[in-house]
Amino acid sequence: ARSLSYYIPRAWRIVEPATPFLSNWHIGLISEYLTALTQLQIQNLIINIPPRHMKSLLTVVMWPTWVWINTPSSRWLTGSYSQGLATRDALKSRRIIQSDWYQQRFGHLYQLTGDQNVKSRYENDKTGLRMAFGMDTAFTGEGGEFIVIDDSLKAQDADSDTEREKVNETWDESLSTRANDPKTVRRVIIGQRLHEDDLPGHVLEKMKTECAHQYELLCLPARY
């Protein structure tokens, strides 16, 4: 497949057919980082970006469908603060995959399997997996090559010590260790900053004090 930057505006037509695609430099920049992750030039990434900048469509809708073109066996665990949001984006990915546009170009590479094709969990015939989950739900069983958390914390919960600790503990004790292979897993945390001790802040702080995973930080403040 061509570059992710080339792919994005074409996939956009499937998920946002009534809205013109407006390119901007930040989309190309995020695409570069996601491509570097795909190629294992980097392994762990935090993207801090305000809402309404296409972050979800880029990272948990389009990127997985692009990676599956080249590596359909890859397994994806994608989460958000609620199961509903995570499922919404998994469905958008599936809509791209099942579109005539995608099938005509890439349908010969893999197909979704009918026996595991539900809203929050589907597989393909090359052993690839997409599983969507909420940070507020019990998480067991699956491992992945890509672990992507988009908006880990609801804005209304940002001032709640209990809610922040729950999310951070879920990441530390369950999600961050769900790698099928620790040497090749890619981890992405993306969202707006909501508190000093939200998940991005928690992970960045751990980097200073422990033998923790090292993360690249891509920070895109609204003023830019």
Side-chain angles (χ1 to χ4, degrees):
R2 297 207 193 189
S3 70
L4 183 56
S5 293
Y6 179 88
Y7 177 86
I8 285 166
R10 287 150 184 85
W12 172 272
R13 298 170 194 158
I14 308 301
V15 288
E16 292 290 346
T19 308
F21 176 78
L22 298 176
S23 188
N24 190 54
W25 63 266
H26 81 281
I27 296 172
L29 182 61
I30 293 173
S31 298
E32 281 184 36
Y33 273 80
L34 297 180
T35 300
L37 276 159
T38 307
Q39 298 171 351
L40 272 177
Q41 295 164 353
I42 57 177
Q43 202 170 345
N44 302 304
L45 176 65
I46 294 171
I47 304 175
N48 293 147
I49 186 170
R52 312 306 303 159
H53 283 74
M54 205 177 137
K55 65 175 179 57
S56 299
L57 281 177
L58 273 170
T59 54
V60 287
V61 175
M62 297 177 183
W63 181 40
T65 66
W66 178 75
V67 172
W68 266 9
I69 294 167
N70 292 305
T71 316
S73 61
S74 60
R75 297 184 161 219
W76 292 74
L77 310 179
T78 59
S80 187
Y81 63 78
S82 78
Q83 178 72 58
L85 277 180
T87 300
R88 175 201 70 183
D89 291 330
L91 280 173
K92 287 182 180 179
S93 289
R94 193 174 70 177
R95 196 182 314 156
I96 292 174
I97 291 166
Q98 294 179 324
S99 70
D100 290 342
W101 170 79
Y102 192 96
Q103 285 299 312
Q104 287 166 8
R105 288 158 180 78
F106 316 116
H108 63 288
L109 300 171
Y110 72 90
Q111 287 291 311
L112 298 181
T113 54
D115 59 335
Q116 277 292 348
N117 188 2
V118 295
K119 290 181 179 181
S120 60
R121 189 186 194 283
Y122 46 85
E123 298 178 11
N124 66 44
D125 57 6
K126 299 294 190 288
T127 72
L129 165 75
R130 171 71 181 269
M131 179 174 173
F133 60 90
M135 300 295 280
D136 54 353
T137 56
F139 186 85
T140 56
E142 299 290 356
E145 283 85 42
F146 292 83
I147 302 170
V148 188
I149 306 299
D150 173 37
D151 284 337
S152 59
L153 187 66
K154 198 187 301 184
Q156 298 93 298
D157 293 339
D159 290 327
S160 165
D161 293 347
T162 305
E163 292 301 322
R164 290 195 315 275
E165 285 168 14
K166 193 189 302 180
V167 167
N168 295 345
E169 282 177 14
T170 299
W171 176 259
D172 289 345
E173 296 171 11
S174 180
L175 284 173
S176 66
T177 61
R178 286 280 167 189
N180 282 341
D181 183 345
K183 294 178 182 174
T184 58
V185 66
R186 288 76 143 186
R187 302 177 185 89
V188 182
I189 299 169
I190 183 167
Q192 62 174 320
R193 289 302 306 270
L194 296 168
H195 189 278
E196 284 185 4
D197 192 38
D198 59 9
L199 183 58
H202 172 73
V203 170
L204 291 170
E205 190 60 31
K206 280 186 72 173
M207 281 169 50
K208 300 176 190 173
T209 57
E210 300 179 28
C211 297
H213 301 300
Q214 297 300 300
Y215 281 74
E216 297 284 330
L217 173 62
L218 175 59
C219 186
L220 298 170
R223 64 179 177 274
Y224 295 128

